[in-house]
Amino acid sequence: MTVVVVESPAKAKTINKYLGNKFKVLASYGHVRDLPAKDGSVRPDADFEMDWEVDGKSAKRLADIAAALKSDDRLILATDPDREGEAISWHVMEVLRKKGALKGKAVQRVVFNAITKNAVLEAMQQPRDVDAALVDAYLARRALDYLVGFSLSPVLWRKLPGSRSAGRVQSVALRLICDRELEIEAFRAQEYWTIDGSFTTPQGEEFQASLQAIGGRKLGKFDIPGEAAARAVEQALKGQPFKVDTVESKPARRHPYPPFRTSTLQQEASRKLGFSSARTMQIAQRLYEGVDIGGETVGLITYMRTDGVDMAPEAIAGTRNAILKTFGEPYLPSVPRHYTTKAKNAQEAHEAIRPTEMSRHPNGLRRALDPDQLALYELIWKRTIASQMESAELERTTADIGADGHDGKRYAFRATGSVVKFDGFLKVYSESLDDGEDEDSRRLPAMARGDSIGVKKIEGVQHFTEPPPRYSEASLIKKLEELGIGRPSTYVSILETLRTRGYVRLEKKRLIPEDKGRVVTAFLESFFRRYVEYDFTAALEEQLDKVSAGEIDWKQVLRDFWRDFTAALADVQDLRVSNVLDALNGILAPHIFPPREDGGDARACPSCGNGQLSLKLGKFGSFIGCSNYPDCKFTRPMSPNAEGGEAVPADGVLLGVDPESGEKVTRRVGRFGPYLQLGEAAEGEKPQRASIPKGRKPEEITLEEALKLLSLPREIGLHPETGKPIVANFGRFGPFVLHDGTYANLDSPEDVFTIGINRAVDVLAQKKLRGFQRPKANALKDLGAHPDGGGAVQVMSGRYGPYVKFGKVNATLPRDKDPQTLTMEEALALIAARQDKGPAKKKAPARKAARSTASPQKPAAKKTAKKPAKKPKAA
């Protein structure tokens, strides 16, 4: 019997069916070992020796593989056909070799691009050795990521309190997002006008045209800068006759797009289906590993992590047959189409993403796939079919019409349109556009030179230039690919890492940098600029590609990088915080010190008048403070445009006057956000203040609401048993009632102001019955039974937010994830990641290697000797 190792248990079951009982297929469950998350795992002084650590669960799986090999004489490593798959095979082989499990055993590597019976059986006939060059490239990449993370992150922790960590590739992606935000903030809209007309042909058909030239000179974008100039053009043309000067029609052809590669699949799934890149890859993984069709598990698409765009000859033949059968001979070109990718540093070793069997039409899979799976499969099927279809034939028409103005100048308008003569591949597929109208959707009515044209309306239209759009996940992936940064297997984890660390947030499908991310980027640009340069990162990726091709030595790449990187680290070690702040103030000025409406000094302190505002670094992150501290205690959040970060006057925004005390009620902004204040600070005393509850927009707070908040805590009455007061207030975790040290949560913020004594006593009694138990979490969604058994998987509502529950494992949902849209696949990934971390109060085993670059997390503070516990205060 031969032992075969694949990555996932789902693939193991399917492949074992294909191979029969002479093979035993076992799963490694991804990577089996990784560099321990501690200093010294890569040792540059020992020529980059690397220490690897196997986690507990992987050790058991490797033991199972070793046990199976005792009675077998052959090991086949059949992990995924990319670099990570090659690395997993190498790790498995190395661990088994050290165990002595491979003595006298034949070890071979096979790869298959699709999980179908034919593909698997054919691959088994073409075994090879583990590719040493691909493994070297993996080792170099992993060492680089480790060295950058564990060298640069401690510098961030010392120089930028509140920062988490930095990674080699993620930092460059973050810079792209932050640079775009700076462009948007520095952008100043410019007014311009166009002259648009609505005209009719002699047959009465209406069409639109716009002014292109005046007096024979072509107009520039800003040649009509304002309303006065636009109105002058309108008056010059008022009542003047128009004629057709020229009509020109030209044939044109639109060619189909190549089949999907990883990045283009993620981009189109985002545009057409609204999927995140992570969701797209999760569904694609499921389609690749296979679904049950007629009692047999069949892989529906080829491997989904690829930058190749061509297809195997038999796949092209199958696609052409499907075109002929479905659409007929006019839609089939005379020769097959072949594609090459234009992406930098692309590896053409793998096929494009395509259906494993082109005759498997999406309509025939409706019962086998869920809606999201079907939608993605249909997208892949249509794109693949279209890639081999005939080009679309169009006729593009341009009509120039003109009139002599009252001022003696000739005014030339132009109308354009297109007609699709033969739809070709457009019958199946049209790529989505990020912005704008498809030019082929406009058609011009028939007209001839010399025709008199009727005028329905000529009017000036005001426009303003717009800033560049923020990156979406799709457009960021496209940009990274254009720059040659990252690889198909890393795009998803790059985005996930940035969100997990709180460096960016996803809002309306656009990536917006958080203040924390902007500070980190500004720091790296100031003191490690070379290492966040796009060209440098792309050049390093190119070197790693050369390693994988066997062209250069991987350790020489590390030596060259480490020599320069350690020099840069040494330059920053003695850097003073004041130097850091000066650099950050300069780079972030458009963001943290936007221009004032009165044209005054943007950094002048609005409180004391003679101090200068500057970025400050506190224990809980960055904020803006005055240079005259402690004499001037003015502070505000770093971002003036963040919630509570608007530039309010130093003495606050007046909401009104308290009718009882006669004191002014103001809304103000401090370093921790917006708050309300009654009166002014007296000598040695603090004025009465109240925080604005979460979820309330500060600018919408009225005087009535402010007075209610300032009146808190509210005494509800005396407890009938103890005679002690019961009060209601807002706390860190929301509204509550308090009695004699016992806190009980309330259902809504309004309860703080309306709850009566009877209900308050009842709420406290219920809390007392529960003792110190937390309220039972509510199930938001039931995802069904875990595929490996062990119980149900549920999405729960917890005290600190939604989480996934499976048995005793609780996994927190990412902040930007809607619990109602969570799928079983996403839940299983969260559960697996939580299980890998181990019990919360124990030292976690080594993390499994991710498909992306990894950086360390900030170490916890050292524990001090425990003192005798005091009676805990109520929280």
Side-chain angles (χ1 to χ4, degrees):
M1 186 178 288
T2 298
V3 176
V4 180
V5 176
V6 296
E7 289 187 42
S8 77
K11 279 198 291 186
K13 292 177 183 178
T14 303
I15 293 169
N16 222 145
K17 289 180 183 178
Y18 294 157
L19 296 178
N21 56 16
K22 291 184 179 180
F23 294 83
K24 185 171 185 178
V25 186
L26 300 172
S28 72
Y29 288 79
H31 272 278
V32 296
R33 63 178 187 173
D34 192 14
L35 297 170
K38 62 182 181 182
D39 198 21
S41 295
V42 177
R43 300 188 298 282
D45 295 341
D47 202 21
F48 301 97
E49 285 295 318
M50 303 166 77
D51 294 330
W52 300 97
E53 184 175 80
V54 179
D55 66 82
K57 289 189 176 181
S58 293
K60 182 180 183 305
R61 290 159 188 155
L62 288 165
D64 292 341
I65 296 171
L69 281 169
K70 289 181 180 179
S71 57
D72 301 317
D73 58 0
R74 186 182 177 207
L75 172 66
I76 293 181
L77 301 167
T79 49
D80 286 344
D82 59 2
R83 293 168 181 166
E84 290 295 312
E86 205 73 24
I88 293 170
S89 286
W90 176 79
H91 278 301
V92 171
M93 183 176 68
E94 287 297 298
V95 173
L96 294 176
R97 181 172 288 140
K98 288 182 179 179
K99 285 176 172 285
L102 299 182
K103 289 181 180 178
K105 313 289 185 184
V107 181
Q108 296 174 319
R109 171 89 167 107
V110 301
V111 294
F112 33 80
N113 195 43
I115 302 178
T116 63
K117 190 170 185 177
N118 288 340
V120 172
L121 294 178
E122 184 179 337
M124 298 298 284
Q125 302 303 315
Q126 303 176 43
R128 60 169 173 80
D129 293 332
V130 172
D131 191 321
L134 284 179
V135 173
D136 286 347
Y138 160 79
L139 293 173
R141 190 182 298 274
R142 191 70 192 90
L144 282 170
D145 295 337
Y146 173 90
L147 290 171
V148 170
F150 276 85
S151 302
L152 195 53
S153 296
V155 175
L156 285 178
W157 300 334
R158 289 193 297 270
K159 307 299 181 184
L160 295 176
S163 298
R164 296 189 66 178
S165 55
R168 183 177 63 87
V169 180
Q170 294 99 322
S171 297
V172 182
L174 178 60
R175 184 192 163 192
L176 276 170
I177 298 169
C178 292
D179 283 357
R180 177 57 58 88
E181 200 69 18
L182 279 173
E183 287 181 60
I184 294 170
E185 289 166 350
F187 177 82
R188 297 293 175 264
Q190 185 173 350
E191 182 184 8
Y192 67 98
W193 287 66
T194 59
I195 307 299
D196 299 335
S198 179
F199 302 91
T200 56
T201 66
Q203 292 76 31
E205 294 183 272
E206 187 174 343
F207 65 97
Q208 311 299 316
S210 58
L211 182 64
Q212 299 292 308
I214 300 177
R217 188 179 69 85
K218 186 177 180 180
L219 289 177
K221 185 173 185 176
F222 301 104
D223 282 354
I224 305 178
E227 184 176 6
R231 300 298 174 236
V233 173
E234 290 177 7
Q235 289 301 315
L237 292 171
K238 192 171 184 179
Q240 295 299 94
F242 277 77
K243 285 192 175 183
V244 177
D245 293 333
T246 61
V247 177
E248 186 178 20
S249 295
K250 292 182 178 180
R253 290 170 68 86
R254 283 184 62 182
H255 303 297
Y257 309 98
F260 283 128
R261 58 185 187 273
T262 302
S263 61
T264 53
L265 175 63
Q266 292 171 352
Q267 291 164 36
E268 276 292 87
S270 174
R271 296 180 189 126
K272 288 183 179 293
L273 307 178
F275 292 167
S276 68
S277 54
R279 179 68 179 141
T280 298
M281 296 310 290
Q282 287 163 354
I283 299 171
Q285 179 84 35
R286 187 75 182 91
L287 295 175
Y288 165 68
E289 292 186 349
V291 298
D292 185 271
I293 298 177
E296 181 181 0
T297 302
V298 179
L300 296 180
I301 64 170
T302 54
Y303 192 58
M304 63 285 161
R305 293 188 183 92
T306 176
D307 47 21
V309 291
D310 206 3
M311 300 192 296
E314 60 272 19
I316 293 176
T319 303
R320 287 173 62 81
N321 286 336
I323 293 169
L324 187 61
K325 182 179 178 181
T326 308
F327 303 103
E329 190 172 345
Y331 290 88
L332 185 68
S334 57
V335 294
R337 296 183 183 275
H338 295 278
Y339 297 92
T340 56
T341 184
K342 297 179 181 178
K344 285 187 178 182
N345 305 332
Q347 304 297 297
E348 301 282 1
H350 304 134
E351 278 191 82
I353 303 168
R354 61 169 177 84
T356 55
E357 179 56 63
M358 291 309 304
S359 61
R360 194 172 284 120
H361 195 281
N363 290 340
L365 297 173
R366 294 191 181 278
R367 293 186 177 181
L369 302 178
D370 67 35
D372 286 355
Q373 291 172 345
L374 182 63
L376 191 66
Y377 178 80
E378 186 173 26
L379 189 69
I380 295 169
W381 188 88
K382 286 184 174 181
R383 176 82 166 221
T384 306
I385 285 284
S387 71
Q388 289 297 322
M389 291 179 73
E390 189 60 86
S391 298
E393 297 177 4
L394 310 111
E395 184 179 78
R396 292 200 170 105
T397 303
T398 301
D400 289 333
I401 63 173
D404 294 322
H406 293 299
D407 54 5
K409 297 177 182 178
R410 183 70 176 175
Y411 289 79
F413 284 69
R414 174 166 290 178
T416 58
S418 298
V419 177
V420 177
K421 295 291 188 180
F422 172 67
D423 53 5
F425 77 95
L426 294 175
K427 190 176 188 70
V428 178
Y429 188 89
S430 178
E431 190 170 63
S432 295
L433 301 175
D434 286 325
D435 297 290
E437 182 186 2
D438 187 350
E439 62 177 7
D440 298 323
S441 66
R442 299 188 300 269
R443 180 173 181 169
L444 279 184
M447 63 185 86
R449 181 177 179 180
D451 283 351
S452 293
I453 297 297
V455 180
K456 293 192 71 175
K457 182 173 61 175
I458 293 177
E459 64 176 350
V461 180
Q462 184 185 39
H463 306 273
F464 292 92
T465 54
E466 295 184 354
R470 291 186 174 107
Y471 285 109
S472 63
E473 284 193 353
S475 60
L476 180 64
I477 289 170
K478 184 178 181 180
K479 186 66 176 180
L480 289 170
E481 187 178 48
E482 288 174 356
L483 294 171
I485 297 170
R487 290 297 176 265
S489 61
T490 64
Y491 297 133
V492 171
S493 51
I494 287 171
L495 293 167
E496 187 62 31
T497 299
L498 294 179
R499 287 203 295 269
T500 300
R501 289 179 181 163
Y503 288 162
V504 303
R505 69 181 186 275
L506 193 63
E507 195 172 287
K508 295 181 179 178
K509 296 187 178 181
R510 296 286 172 172
L511 293 163
I512 303 174
E514 300 282 16
D515 286 344
K516 186 190 301 183
R518 301 190 70 162
V519 169
V520 168
T521 297
F523 176 81
L524 295 176
E525 283 194 73
S526 297
F527 304 106
F528 292 90
R529 185 169 187 84
R530 182 187 182 199
Y531 301 96
V532 289
E533 287 286 356
Y534 307 136
D535 291 344
F536 174 81
T537 307
L540 191 55
E541 292 284 348
E542 192 170 352
Q543 282 187 292
L544 294 172
D545 289 338
K546 289 181 178 179
V547 172
S548 66
E551 297 176 11
I552 55 177
D553 177 47
W554 69 282
K555 287 193 174 181
Q556 189 57 49
V557 173
L558 292 178
R559 293 184 198 109
D560 293 342
F561 175 86
W562 188 244
R563 180 187 62 246
D564 297 335
F565 189 62
T566 49
L569 286 170
D571 292 340
V572 178
Q573 292 296 333
D574 299 326
L575 199 65
R576 292 179 176 274
V577 173
S578 59
N579 301 132
V580 173
L581 293 178
D582 288 343
L584 299 186
N585 282 332
I587 290 180
L588 295 173
H591 174 56
I592 57 180
F593 309 120
R596 288 169 41 172
E597 291 184 3
D598 61 4
D601 183 1
R603 293 187 61 179
C605 178
S607 180
C608 67
N610 58 3
Q612 283 282 294
L613 298 182
S614 172
L615 189 68
K616 304 289 184 182
L617 302 175
K619 182 179 179 182
F620 302 105
S622 306
F623 63 97
I624 302 300
C626 180
S627 59
N628 287 338
Y629 179 86
D631 294 332
C632 177
K633 294 184 172 60
F634 174 81
T635 60
R636 66 165 170 82
M638 177 178 151
S639 173
N641 298 318
E643 184 177 339
E646 77 265 44
V648 301
D651 56 354
V653 175
L654 180 64
L655 299 180
V657 176
D658 177 16
E660 293 186 7
S661 65
E663 298 275 10
K664 292 180 180 179
V665 179
T666 53
R667 173 171 57 83
R668 307 187 179 216
V669 176
R671 60 184 291 188
F672 299 114
Y675 65 93
L676 301 167
Q677 180 170 309
L678 179 65
E680 298 294 337
E683 187 70 29
E685 294 182 7
K686 286 186 177 181
Q688 187 174 346
R689 291 172 176 168
S691 297
I692 295 176
K694 288 183 178 179
R696 289 291 285 121
K697 292 183 178 180
E699 62 273 16
E700 293 179 357
I701 295 291
T702 64
L703 174 62
E704 182 182 0
E705 289 176 287
L707 291 172
K708 289 169 68 175
L709 290 167
L710 287 163
S711 70
L712 298 176
R714 167 179 166 252
E715 184 171 324
I716 302 169
L718 302 179
H719 197 286
E721 296 178 2
T722 66
K724 294 182 178 180
I726 302 174
V727 298
N729 204 347
F730 289 98
R732 181 181 177 187
F733 303 113
F736 66 86
V737 288
L738 168 65
H739 166 254
D740 196 21
T742 298
Y743 288 77
N745 293 332
L746 294 174
D747 294 331
S748 74
E750 192 59 31
D751 287 345
V752 172
F753 305 104
T754 60
I755 190 170
I757 188 68
N758 292 335
R759 184 171 165 231
V761 170
D762 183 57
V763 169
L764 289 163
Q766 292 297 322
K767 175 66 181 288
K768 190 174 182 180
L769 286 174
R770 291 194 299 266
F772 291 102
Q773 295 178 357
R774 292 177 183 172
K776 187 175 181 181
N778 296 320
L780 299 175
K781 188 177 183 181
D782 193 341
L783 297 174
H786 194 290
D788 294 337
V793 178
Q794 295 177 304
V795 183
M796 311 295 290
S797 173
R799 183 180 184 186
Y800 303 107
Y803 64 94
V804 177
K805 182 175 181 61
F806 169 60
K808 295 183 179 180
V809 179
N810 295 333
T812 304
L813 263 65
R815 284 192 306 171
D816 57 356
K817 184 62 187 175
D818 181 357
Q820 295 300 330
T821 65
L822 190 78
T823 65
M824 176 64 85
E825 288 82 3
E826 292 172 308
L828 294 178
L830 292 170
I831 290 167
R834 185 65 190 88
Q835 287 173 326
D836 287 343
K837 294 180 181 179
K841 294 185 180 180
K842 296 179 181 179
K843 184 178 178 181
R847 296 175 291 110
K848 286 193 174 183
R851 285 191 176 273
S852 166
T853 55
S855 299
Q857 297 299 315
K858 188 171 181 179
K862 292 183 178 179
K863 292 183 179 179
T864 56
K866 290 185 177 180
K867 296 181 180 181
K870 294 181 180 180
K871 184 177 179 180
K873 293 182 178 180

